[in-house]
């Protein structure tokens, strides 16, 4: 089960990233050109948040099954010596939870705005901040924090 969850979580991140990048692109384009916030734009906003929430659920289940995390919580003093263990046990989950909160708040706030320009601006602001944090928190193969392959 752990291997399946790791694979799903690793693969699903690409959907999260693509949807966020597309949402930021749409929001920037709509905000800068002053276009109308269409039903398609609203669907992109909604599905970006939904995809992020699905990834969160997979991540929380993976977190509860992870041998790295279990080791950390049973041996906190010894585990603090390894940055890899600390990263996956504390840093990764905290940054990702914060990002999902930003996406959720941004989506809800954009939905409630009355003007189209404000909807695009709200989406652009909140989703961009979340995207930056997610880029930092992902264990890329080139990351100085810790690294994993692009696909597991």
């Amino acid at each position: 089960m752990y291997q399946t969850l790791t694979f799903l979580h690793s693969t699903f991140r690409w959907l999260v990233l693509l949807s966020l990048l597309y949402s930021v692109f749409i929001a920037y384009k709509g905000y800068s050109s002053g276009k109308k916030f269409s039903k398609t734009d609203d669907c992109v906003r909604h599905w970006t948040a939904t995809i992020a929430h699905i990834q969160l659920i997979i991540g929380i289940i993976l977190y509860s099954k992870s041998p790295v995390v279990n080791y950390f919580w049973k041996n906190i003093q010894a585990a603090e010596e390894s940055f890899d263990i600390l990263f996956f046990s504390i840093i990764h989950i905290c940054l990702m939870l914060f990002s999902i909160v930003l996406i959720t708040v941004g989506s809800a706030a954009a939905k409630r705005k009355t003007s189209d320009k404000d909807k695009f601006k709200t989406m652009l602001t909140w989703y961009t901040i979340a995207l930056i944090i997610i880029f930092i928190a992902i264990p890329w193969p080139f990351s100085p924090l810790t690294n994993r392959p692009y696909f597991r």
Side-chain angles (χ1 to χ4, degrees):
M1 179 173 181
Y2 177 72
Q3 293 292 7
T4 303
L5 287 170
T6 303
F7 172 78
L8 284 173
H9 191 63
S10 176
T11 304
F12 214 79
R13 77 171 144 179
W14 296 106
L15 288 176
V16 172
L17 288 172
L18 288 173
S19 67
L20 263 176
L21 284 169
Y22 187 63
S23 291
V24 167
F25 172 74
I26 293 259
Y28 175 75
K29 192 172 156 188
Y31 179 70
S32 62
S33 69
K35 81 173 204 139
K36 185 181 180 325
F37 195 83
S38 69
K39 191 171 183 168
T40 302
D41 298 327
D42 193 50
C43 282
V44 169
R45 175 204 55 80
H46 170 75
W47 279 105
T48 298
T50 301
I51 289 167
H53 288 130
I54 292 168
Q55 176 72 331
L56 173 66
I57 292 167
I58 295 168
I60 288 172
I61 295 169
L62 180 61
Y63 187 84
S64 69
K65 302 290 182 192
S66 171
V68 172
V69 173
N70 288 335
Y71 175 80
F72 175 80
W73 290 114
K74 289 178 183 167
N75 308 293
I76 292 177
Q77 298 293 53
E80 285 179 344
E81 301 297 319
S82 170
F83 190 77
D84 271 3
I85 294 171
L86 189 64
F87 178 83
F88 286 108
S89 301
I90 302 291
I91 298 168
H92 180 73
I93 192 163
C94 288
L95 289 175
M96 291 304 186
L97 282 171
F98 184 62
S99 296
I100 299 300
V101 168
L102 291 174
I103 291 168
T104 305
V105 169
S107 176
K111 181 180 181 180
R112 285 163 181 73
K113 294 291 180 183
T114 53
S115 79
D116 294 334
K117 192 161 185 102
D118 285 343
K119 288 181 182 196
F120 283 122
K121 181 181 178 185
T122 302
M123 232 173 91
L124 179 63
T125 304
W126 289 87
Y127 282 16
T128 300
I129 296 168
L131 182 61
I132 291 167
I133 293 169
I134 287 172
F135 268 124
I136 292 167
I138 290 177
W140 299 105
F142 54 83
S143 174
L145 299 174
T146 189
N147 52 56
R148 295 290 186 267
Y150 289 116
F151 292 99
R152 291 190 67 172

